[in-house]
Amino acid sequence: MIPLAEAQAEVIAACQPKPPRPVDVGDALGLVLAEGVTAATDVPPFANTAMDGYAVRAADVEAASTGRPTRLTVIGTLAAGRAPDTPVGPGEALRIMTGAPFPEGADAVAIVENTRSEGDAVWVSAPAPAGEHVRRAGEDVAAGQEVFAAGTVLGPGHLGVLCSVGRERVSAVPAPVVGVLSTGDELVEGAGALLPGQIRDSNRRTLMALLRRDGFSVVDLGIAPDDEAEIERRLKEGAAGCDAVLTSGGVSMGDFDLVKVVLDRIGAMHWMQVAIRPAKPFAFGLVGSTPVFGLPGNPVSSMVSYEVLARPGLRRMAGRGDADLHRVPVPAIVDDSRWRGGADGRTTYMRVQAGVEADGRYHVRSAGGQASNQLYAMAVADGLAVVAPGAEVVAGDTVALVLLGP
Ligand code: AMP
Ligand code: MG
């Protein structure tokens, strides 16, 4: 057996980031920026008002008060999206709406709450300090400023800033395209009646959903029966058309574990026994230059190996930095009565429900049956609690909690 960290290091070393390419901003959510982006323009592009009111000269309304309001002549109204055509002179005011460009001559906003309009005049009942409620050109982003460095993971707000500065495309690392194959003579799909010995394929749906959750693109390679020629055909098709392939099933010691046989023939694979429970058997290698992850068939095992082994490698292919590759565990208090780590040198990943309690700390309890075929507990789990080999954990102890989810 090898420690999980060793298996992860091997995967990450072989999963190189994809070459960057131009991506439309609308398709760039979650991608890693491959260039530094410099703003070509100021944001906002012009000085404008932050409030509805009147553009005035501060000096004109210095002495204004509720008891002695100041009267100004209104020279017009300016909505957002319009350009001012007349400067504001002494004793004048321009009615102005949030976002409208700030006119020449004025230096302050008398907010509408401090005014009363009367015909073509306005009474201002409070001073309007110069510059207040005026948004300066470039006060958010200045032209020439580097807004985002290469390596930035693009979130919704980043996309908005790119739009604001007029960028339609950026150079980014594209999301890896990942093929997903289920293997096993027993597997069928759909609501139809099961023949004796058959079960419904759950791994493929789950793995494809995990990939989508993590921002990767998915190719459904279907279900292959335990037949060497068919497995070979699907794996070659996946390796040729995808950036990486996930298979599940057929990688352990059974008579019909033919994924192992085929991958050994067509790829350069490393078959590992990882010192974790679940998800001990794990295969990783290259078919041609395409990374292939051979995940175990048991549904919980395939999900856990995805989370701790495939996901880090795929994130590396997506250009993620090392600090982001793994999920960093948080300390959590165990509320269950007793858990035991295995006596076989494997670290146990308990499927747990987790929540922050009144003491401000994470608390965890078992999410249900912990066998590697019992997908239900994994489905309702919020995370994996790490129990060291041979450890005995009792209620009140602190464990490391790997939170699952996006
Ligand atoms: P294997 O690794 O092929 O020996 O499979 C181990 C266990 O996982 C067996 O009980 C299989 O029936 C089950 N299994 C394999 N693939 C799937 C799948 N795609 N969906 C649900 N169960 C599966
Ligand atoms: Mg099988």
Side-chain angles (χ1 to χ4, degrees), residues 181-184 186-188 197 199-205 207 223 226 248-254 256-259 281 295-299 302 372-373 375:
L181 178 67
S182 283
T183 68
E186 73 279 33
L187 301 177
V188 292
I199 59 167
R200 296 190 183 88
D201 174 13
S202 61
N203 290 351
R204 204 162 101 258
R205 184 63 56 208
L207 289 170
I223 301 173
D226 290 317
S248 70
V251 298
S252 30
M253 312 293 210
F256 304 101
D257 284 337
L258 299 173
V259 174
L295 311 183
N298 273 309
S302 78
S372 61
N373 61 316
L375 185 56

